[in-house]
Amino acid sequence: MSAPAFVYLDHNATSPLRPEALDAMAEALRAGGNPSSVHRVGRAARARVEAARRQVAELVGVLPAEVTFTSGGTEANNLALSGSGRRRMLVSAVEHDSVLRAATNTEIVAVGGNGVVDLATLEKMLRSSREPALVSVMFANNETGVVQPIADVVRLASKAGALVHCDAVQGAGKVPLDLHALGVDYLSLSAHKLGGPTGVGALVVRSGAPLIAGQLGGGQELNRRAGTENVAGIAGFGAAAVAARGGLDVAGLRDRMERTLLAIAPQACVFGAETPRLPNTTCITMPGVKAETQVMALDLAGVCVSAGAACSSGKVTRSPVLLAMGVDATVADTALRISLGWNSAAGDIERLIEAWRDLYIRVNSSDIVRARAA
Ligand code: PLP
C-alpha cells in the first residue's frame, strides 16, 4: 500500500470530522426542518437537537437542560464571561484569546514555569477585594496540553464567593470530564476539537448559576441563546460526543514520539513535560530553527503540524502562553505543536519523526558547513 499523501497531526487546531458525525449531519441536512415548527418535520428536527443535547450532556456528566448550544467555543466563552453578571474577572495568563479578549476589568493570574496557574497568587487576588468575581481558568491549554488544577481553583473561588468558568474546549473528548466533579459553574465546549463539525459548540451552565443572554431574538435554547438552531451541526456534535466518550488512547504513541525526538536533539525541550498534560499534545523546540520554518518544511514532507495556536490570519505570532511560562522569546519562537487525535496511528508518528529528523540534520549540517567556511 502506498503512503498517504499527508499525515495530520494538528488535532488541537481542528480534528477531522468523525464518520459518525458526517453521517448524522448528512441525515439532518437531508431531513431539514426548523426545530421550532409544530409540524412533523419541525418535531423531527427538534428530536435531533434534543438527542444531541443528551449526548453532549453525557460526555461531561451534566443534565441536558444545562447544555446551551452555541456557534462554537469562542461564543461559549464570550457568553459565559458576559453573561455571569460579574464585573470583576480573574483570568489565567494562558487562556485562549476568546477568554482574554472577552474579559472586562481583567486581572491576570500568573502561571508557573510549568504552565500551571499559581494557586497562591489566585488566593491572594481573590482576597484583595470584596467585589464578587468570576474566575476563568481553562481545563487544558491548547498549545502545551498542560492540565489545570480546576478542583483547587473551585475550592479557592467558592471560599471567596466567586463563580468559576472553565474553557474545556481542548479537554473534552480527550480525557474524561465531569462538570459536577470539577464543581465549575460554566464549561465551554467546541465540537470541532473532538471530531465534530466547525461552527458549533456549547456552554454548560450549572443549574442555578446565573446567565444573562447575549444574543436576543426568538427565545431558543431556553432564552439563553436566540437563533434557529444549527440542526445538522448540533447533530454532528452529538454523534462526535458519543464517539469521543472513551477519550483518546494516544499517550503511548505521543510519549514514544517525544522520547525519539529528544534522542535526535538532546537540547530540545518539551514544555509542560513534568506536569499533567493532555495525552495528545506535544509542544517541543527544535533548537535554532524558527517554528514557521519547521511548519513549512514538515508540510513539504507531508506532515501537518502547527506553530502554537492557529490564529485567524494564519500568521505565526510569538506564543503568549510560552512567554507567560517565562520561556525566553527566542526559544519560544522555535516551539512546534504536534497534536494527535482519534485517527492517529503509529505510521503518522514515524512520518513526523523522519521529517523532523531530516530537517534537524539538514539545518545542523548547513551550520557545520557555514562554521567551517567562516
Ligand atoms: N478555547 C480554546 C482553548 C481553543 O483552543 C479554541 C480553539 O482553538 C477555542 C476556545 C475556540 O473554539 P472555536 O474554534 O470553536 O471557536
Side-chain angles (χ1 to χ4, degrees), residues 253 256 345-355 357:
L253 266 187
R256 188 149 53 83
D348 301 343
I349 303 307
E350 300 312 324
R351 184 113 168 235
L352 173 281
I353 290 170
E354 200 182 305
R357 180 194 285 121

Side-chain angles (χ1 to χ4, degrees), residues 12-13 72-74 77 96 98 138 140 142 167 169-170 190 192-193:
N12 286 9
T74 297
N77 285 341
H96 189 261
S98 55
M138 68 201 330
N142 40 311
D167 173 352
V169 161
Q170 291 291 349
S190 173
H192 73 105
K193 307 291 185 179

Side-chain angles (χ1 to χ4, degrees), residues 45-55 64 69 221 229 234:
R46 166 62 54 209
R48 280 180 214 285
V49 169
E50 297 315 317
R53 199 185 307 281
R54 288 192 293 277
Q55 292 163 332
F69 288 117
E221 296 296 287
E229 299 88 339
I234 289 171

Side-chain angles (χ1 to χ4, degrees), residues 39-292:
H39 49 65
R40 69 191 64 198
V41 179
R43 291 200 305 277
R46 166 62 54 209
R48 280 180 214 285
V49 169
E50 297 315 317
R53 199 185 307 281
R54 288 192 293 277
Q55 292 163 332
V56 170
E58 201 165 313
L59 181 70
V60 291
V62 302
L63 297 170
E66 294 176 306
V67 175
T68 297
F69 288 117
T70 64
S71 65
T74 297
E75 187 191 332
N77 285 341
N78 275 264
L79 180 57
L81 269 68
S82 65
S84 76
R86 300 285 166 96
R87 280 183 58 254
R88 181 176 184 228
M89 298 186 193
L90 309 186
V91 174
S92 101
V94 293
E95 294 303 305
H96 189 261
D97 265 353
S98 55
V99 167
L100 288 168
R101 301 184 74 162
T104 53
N105 294 322
T106 316
E107 295 172 42
I108 298 289
V109 188
V111 297
N114 55 4
V116 176
V117 69
D118 185 334
L119 292 170
T121 302
L122 173 63
E123 187 169 23
K124 243 188 253 155
M125 290 169 80
L126 281 164
R127 279 217 214 102
S128 72
S129 163
R130 282 171 177 274
E131 184 179 344
L134 173 73
V135 176
S136 184
V137 176
M138 68 201 330
F139 182 83
N141 187 263
N142 40 311
E143 292 183 40
T144 60
V146 167
V147 172
Q148 298 294 344
I150 298 298
D152 292 327
V153 168
V154 170
R155 184 175 46 78
L156 297 177
S158 51
K159 267 203 292 189
L163 293 166
V164 178
H165 165 248
C166 178
D167 173 352
V169 161
Q170 291 291 349
K174 292 179 181 147
V175 292
L177 263 183
D178 181 330
L179 173 133
H180 294 296
L182 290 173
V184 301
D185 300 286
Y186 310 96
L187 192 82
S188 297
L189 303 172
S190 173
H192 73 105
K193 307 291 185 179
L194 51 86
T198 51
V200 58
L203 179 67
V204 179
V205 183
R206 182 186 54 73
S207 303
L211 189 79
I212 304 156
Q215 186 163 301
L216 306 177
Q220 289 90 347
E221 296 296 287
L222 296 173
N223 285 316
R224 290 183 159 157
R225 198 268 185 185
T228 303
E229 299 88 339
N230 169 7
V231 180
I234 289 171
F237 187 7
V242 173
R245 234 171 243 171
L248 290 178
D249 182 19
V250 293
L253 266 187
R254 191 272 311 267
D255 293 348
R256 188 149 53 83
M257 173 188 76
E258 287 184 357
R259 278 196 300 276
T260 312
L261 296 182
L262 290 171
I264 295 167
Q267 326 85 308
C269 160
V270 174
F271 296 108
E274 306 305 324
T275 200
R277 268 185 306 158
L278 292 175
N280 77 316
T281 308
T282 295
C283 185
I284 186 169
T285 58
M286 184 186 279
V289 187
K290 285 233 155 95
E292 58 254 50

